[in-house]
């Protein structure tokens, strides 16, 4: 794997909450333009893992690099980790868009205002330019006519599509999706998955935690199975879904397929 092709490089990630070890040395590399889907039972560590990539959770061990740069930590001479300043971490987060299970839109702002907020205040983009880009992003997610709508006026699926547009407004190197459809009504799941599918086709680097096995089968370049905080198996969707080798993968898929 050519080094410059690796966007996300997570090595031996350990994470505990109190005495509970959630991640037990998970390593994953994601190449530019690759769509990696994480699957596994609830509590297997999938969400925690992508929150660690985006520095929303501290790690107790391991290293995360994005575009070859260490994320969130500096290494002391003795090899121990020191957390970077919040300012530096905020700067690093710009490279990684994150779409959450709950949409986290600002309720007092319209769809358009939600999208222009960070480009203007974080990146310093001129307002007129931010507005133009935001309108094109709303059109891209199929919501050109909803620019003036507040989140409360939108369905869950529409709110999630605004959240995707908001993440794209920062022109990220990669996008992380944490179960983006699990809080949605069944009839709006498809519209969000369709936008994600289009992003994948356009070459966006994506790491997706989902229970939507059809999406994983159709869109993923690689499916990664987590179980009890360990990466137990990974491969092309065809192999994972049709010929899984690990007994715990087989047991999980027999329950969900």
């Amino acid at each position: 794997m050519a080094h410059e092709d690796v966007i996300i490089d997570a090595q031996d990630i350990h994470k505990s909450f109190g005495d509970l070890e959630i991640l037990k040395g998970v390593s994953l590399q994601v190449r530019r333009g690759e769509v990696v889907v994480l699957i596994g039972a609830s509590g297997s560590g999938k969400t925690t893992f992508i929150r660690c990539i985006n520095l929303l959770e501290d790690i107790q061990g391991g290293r995360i690099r994005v575009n070859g740069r260490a994320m969130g930590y500096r290494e002391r001479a003795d090899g121990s980790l020191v957390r970077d300043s919040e300012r530096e971490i905020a700067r690093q987060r710009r490279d990684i868009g994150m779409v959450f299970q709950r949409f986290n839109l600002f309720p007092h702002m319209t769809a358009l205002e939600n999208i222009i907020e960070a480009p203007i205040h974080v990146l310093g983009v001129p307002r007129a330019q931010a507005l133009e880009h935001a309108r094109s992003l709303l059109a891209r997610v199929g919501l050109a006519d909803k620019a003036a709508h507040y989140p409360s006026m939108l369905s869950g699926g529409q709110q999630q599509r605004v959240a995707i547009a908001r993440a794209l407004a920062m022109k990220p190197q990669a996008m992380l999706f944490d179960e983006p459809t699990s809080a949605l009504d069944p009839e709006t799941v498809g519209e969000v998955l369709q936008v994600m599918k289009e992003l994948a086709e356009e070459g966006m680097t994506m790491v997706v935690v989902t229970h939507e096995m059809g999406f994983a089968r159709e869109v993923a370049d690689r499916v990664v199975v987590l179980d009890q905080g360990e990466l137990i198996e990974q491969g092309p969707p065809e192999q994972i879904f049709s010929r899984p080798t690990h007994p715990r993968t087989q047991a999980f898929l027999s329950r969900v397929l």
Side-chain angles (χ1 to χ4, degrees):
M1 194 183 294
H3 206 65
E4 62 275 13
D5 282 347
V6 177
I7 293 278
I8 296 169
D9 185 6
Q11 294 294 331
D12 197 28
I13 303 305
H14 288 262
K15 169 69 186 173
S16 297
F17 293 111
D19 292 338
L20 187 61
E21 195 177 12
I22 304 291
L23 298 174
K24 305 169 183 173
V26 176
S27 296
L28 183 70
Q29 287 190 326
V30 181
R31 291 187 298 275
R32 188 180 306 281
E34 189 177 23
V35 179
V36 174
V37 175
L38 304 183
I39 65 171
S42 295
S44 58
K46 308 180 299 293
T47 288
T48 300
F49 181 63
I50 65 167
R51 286 177 64 85
C52 289
I53 294 175
N54 206 31
L55 306 174
L56 294 172
E57 299 288 356
D58 287 334
I59 57 176
Q60 274 92 39
R63 300 284 182 277
I64 297 169
R65 286 188 169 79
V66 173
N67 272 337
R69 292 185 50 236
M71 286 284 284
Y73 299 89
R74 297 187 314 281
E75 206 168 332
R76 286 202 183 105
D78 64 0
S80 62
L81 298 179
V82 193
R83 189 172 166 89
D84 262 333
S85 68
E86 286 308 315
R87 187 173 175 176
E88 176 61 19
I89 286 172
R91 209 176 62 73
Q92 291 181 319
R93 276 203 195 109
R94 294 177 203 168
D95 279 347
I96 307 180
M98 181 106 182
V99 177
F100 299 89
Q101 193 168 347
R102 299 269 167 205
F103 329 115
N104 295 5
L105 297 174
F106 296 115
H108 60 290
M109 292 183 181
T110 63
L112 197 65
E113 289 165 346
N114 263 283
I115 296 169
I116 64 173
E117 174 76 5
I120 290 174
H121 295 291
V122 179
L123 299 182
V125 174
R127 185 177 175 85
Q129 188 182 326
L131 280 167
E132 187 183 348
H133 188 216
R135 287 186 195 284
S136 74
L137 287 170
L138 276 174
R140 183 178 179 182
V141 299
L143 295 172
D145 58 338
K146 304 293 186 194
H149 285 55
Y150 289 91
S152 61
M153 302 157 74
L154 301 172
S155 72
Q158 290 169 334
Q159 289 185 60
Q160 192 60 293
R161 286 187 280 156
V162 172
I164 292 172
R166 179 182 60 179
L168 291 171
M170 298 295 280
K171 299 184 177 171
Q173 298 279 332
M175 291 273 283
L176 307 176
F177 293 86
D178 180 18
E179 299 195 23
T181 58
S182 64
L184 300 180
D185 295 328
E187 63 269 23
T188 65
V189 166
E191 64 197 41
V192 173
L193 293 178
Q194 182 58 37
V195 168
M196 293 169 64
K197 197 182 304 183
E198 287 162 13
L199 281 179
E201 285 163 2
E202 290 164 18
M204 174 59 77
T205 308
M206 294 164 58
V207 181
V208 183
V209 171
T210 187
H211 293 290
E212 299 289 339
M213 296 301 154
F215 175 84
R217 196 188 283 267
E218 189 182 347
V219 181
D221 296 304
R222 182 159 43 115
V223 174
V224 171
V225 187
L226 287 185
D227 186 81
Q228 297 170 18
E230 296 174 323
L231 195 164
I232 58 170
E233 186 166 3
Q234 58 181 315
E238 171 59 25
Q239 180 220 311
I240 296 296
F241 289 113
S242 303
R243 301 182 303 283
T245 57
H246 199 292
R248 284 189 286 179
T249 307
Q250 294 164 0
F252 168 70
L253 290 174
S254 72
R255 290 197 302 274
V256 297
L257 293 180

